[in-house]
């Protein structure tokens, strides 16, 4: 009996902001690894999520949403997304299934121009599509680009996700196990901790505040008693934003800290002592030196 072929490779997930890329990857991994919110541009960095299945390993690349860049930070995010379509084995182009397909055609052609890897169009949020319109929308997308497949899914409910994973696995080449089979990502814990704090700010504050926030973990130490002591700085661009983050009598900062600590404890499986500080770093999102300091430029 011949041995089963082990298939592995790198799969980039790209698309507009807020189409559900991080939600889809969290669903595939079975763990909340990527931060999510109902606001666009939540994801800022290219992050690997490693999914092991019998006979294969799929290394997914979660990417920022593709949008028009207005600051150096926005340009960094777009560059992260666009660079991910090169040198990978497969591309998942994610769209909001409830969005009008005709309005996506231009961006799809522009982003995928010159791409050599096969592309699967993933229509997400199919639970929001009116009955009877799914096949019509799939047909319109099929006329836009020679996709390898068009797969409807709902990342929020899980519908179609397992079928998507099986399709991806079958399209990957024979290859090695790139990462140990007991890890979900190659990013350090400090990075994930900073992202968790930033997610709580996204969820608890409004307007322009989340987009002007950068979180830096200054200290990450495990004490002799097993408690992990973490200090992190929340950088904002204006004094008014600092006031919103801190809140009246420090209530908002306390709420951000409590929710962050609880999730970090689940991540690390340890007791956590978390200290958060807020600093005004004026116009950091358009400052090359600060972007590098905060991890947003290579």
């Amino acid at each position: 009996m011949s041995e089963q072929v082990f298939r592995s490779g790198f799969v980039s997930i790209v698309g507009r902001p807020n189409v559900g890329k991080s939600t889809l990857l969290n669903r595939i991994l079975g763990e909340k690894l990527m931060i999510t919110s109902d606001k666009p541009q939540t994801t800022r960095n290219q992050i690997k999520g490693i999914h092991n299945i019998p006979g294969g390993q799929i290394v997914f690349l979660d990417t920022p949403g593709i949008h028009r860049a207005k600051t150096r930070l926005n340009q960094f995010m777009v560059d992260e997304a666009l660079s991910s379509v090169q040198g990978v084995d497969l591309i998942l182009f994610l769209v909001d299934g409830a969005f009008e397909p005709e309005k996506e055609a231009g961006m799809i052609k522009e982003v995928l121009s010159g791409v050599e890897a096969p592309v699967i169009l993933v229509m997400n949020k199919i639970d929001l599509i009116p009955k009877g319109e799914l096949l019509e929308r799939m047909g319109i997308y099929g006329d836009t680009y020679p996709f390898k497949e068009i797969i409807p899914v709902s990342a929020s409910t899980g519908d179609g996700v397992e079928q998507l994973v099986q399709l991806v696995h079958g399209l990957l080449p024979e290859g090695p196990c790139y990462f140990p089979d007991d890890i979900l990502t190659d990013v350090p814990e400090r990075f994930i901790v900073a992202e968790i704090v930033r997610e709580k700010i996204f969820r608890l504050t409004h307007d322009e505040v989340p987009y002007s926030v950068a979180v830096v973990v200054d200290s990450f130490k495990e004490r002799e008693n097993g408690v992990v002591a973490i200090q992190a700085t929340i950088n904002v661009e204006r004094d008014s934003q600092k006031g919103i983050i801190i809140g009246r009598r420090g209530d908002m900062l306390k709420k951000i800290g409590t929710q962050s600590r609880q999730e970090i404890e689940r991540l690390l499986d340890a007791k956590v002592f978390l200290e958060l500080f807020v600093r005004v770093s004026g116009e950091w999102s358009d400052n090359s030196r600060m972007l590098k300091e905060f991890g947003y430029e290579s």
Side-chain angles (χ1 to χ4, degrees), residues 16-273:
R16 289 188 187 275
N18 219 30
V19 294
K21 297 182 295 296
S22 297
T23 302
L24 175 63
L25 187 48
N26 285 338
R27 171 70 65 174
I28 291 172
L29 297 176
E31 295 282 349
K32 185 189 172 187
L33 182 62
M34 315 302 168
I35 69 169
T36 62
S37 82
D38 59 359
K39 300 180 178 67
Q41 301 176 29
T42 303
T43 300
R44 290 178 177 170
N45 300 76
Q46 191 181 112
I47 305 170
K48 293 185 181 71
I50 301 156
H51 185 55
N52 294 285
I53 57 177
Q57 182 180 80
I58 309 171
V59 184
F60 289 98
L61 279 66
D62 187 27
T63 65
I66 299 169
H67 61 282
R68 292 194 178 278
K70 296 181 180 179
T71 66
R72 285 186 173 90
L73 173 63
N74 292 137
Q75 190 59 57
F76 165 80
M77 293 162 63
V78 173
D79 290 345
E80 286 278 275
L82 295 180
S83 67
S84 74
V85 302
Q86 304 297 330
V88 293
D89 299 287
L90 185 65
I91 297 167
L92 302 185
F93 200 108
L94 202 66
V95 297
D96 183 337
F99 195 70
E100 296 179 27
E102 295 87 350
K103 295 184 178 180
E104 295 287 74
M107 187 191 70
I108 289 173
K109 293 176 181 178
E110 181 180 354
V111 173
L112 298 179
S113 175
V115 166
E116 297 181 357
V119 183
I120 297 174
L121 183 85
V122 183
M123 291 180 61
N124 190 26
K125 306 183 183 182
I126 57 170
D127 47 311
L128 303 179
I129 301 176
K131 291 182 179 180
E133 292 188 14
L134 179 59
L135 291 179
E136 179 185 353
R137 290 170 184 248
M138 292 173 66
I140 296 172
Y141 278 119
D143 293 335
T144 300
Y145 183 87
F147 295 107
K148 190 73 176 178
E149 296 281 353
I150 298 177
I151 303 294
V153 305
S154 172
S156 62
T157 67
D159 289 349
V161 173
E162 182 58 33
Q163 293 92 321
L164 174 63
V165 171
Q166 293 303 319
L167 175 62
V168 168
H169 177 231
L171 291 174
L172 292 179
E174 183 175 355
C177 188
Y178 290 101
F179 295 92
D181 60 10
D182 60 346
I183 67 171
L184 288 176
T185 184
D186 65 338
V187 298
E189 290 176 336
R190 293 172 73 110
F191 176 88
I192 299 177
V193 165
E195 288 288 272
I196 288 172
V197 175
R198 192 165 64 86
E199 180 192 53
K200 303 314 171 192
I201 296 169
F202 260 81
R203 292 180 178 274
L204 292 170
T205 63
H206 305 285
D207 300 324
E208 85 287 353
V209 175
Y211 305 103
S212 299
V213 165
V215 179
V216 177
V217 174
D218 306 304
S219 177
F220 190 109
K221 298 178 181 178
E222 183 174 352
R223 296 172 176 171
E224 291 184 0
N225 61 1
V227 174
V228 180
I230 300 171
Q231 292 182 333
T233 298
I234 300 169
N235 295 274
V236 295
E237 295 190 311
R238 292 186 286 278
D239 286 321
S240 59
Q241 296 165 346
K242 179 178 180 179
I244 294 172
I245 293 289
I246 294 174
R248 189 176 181 181
R249 299 177 181 174
D251 288 349
M252 178 58 73
L253 188 61
K254 182 178 179 181
K255 188 178 295 185
I256 293 168
T258 298
Q259 292 190 15
S260 299
R261 177 185 55 77
Q262 291 170 345
E263 186 159 335
I264 294 167
E265 286 182 336
R266 289 194 293 270
L267 169 73
L268 302 179
D269 193 23
K271 295 292 292 182
V272 169
F273 176 72

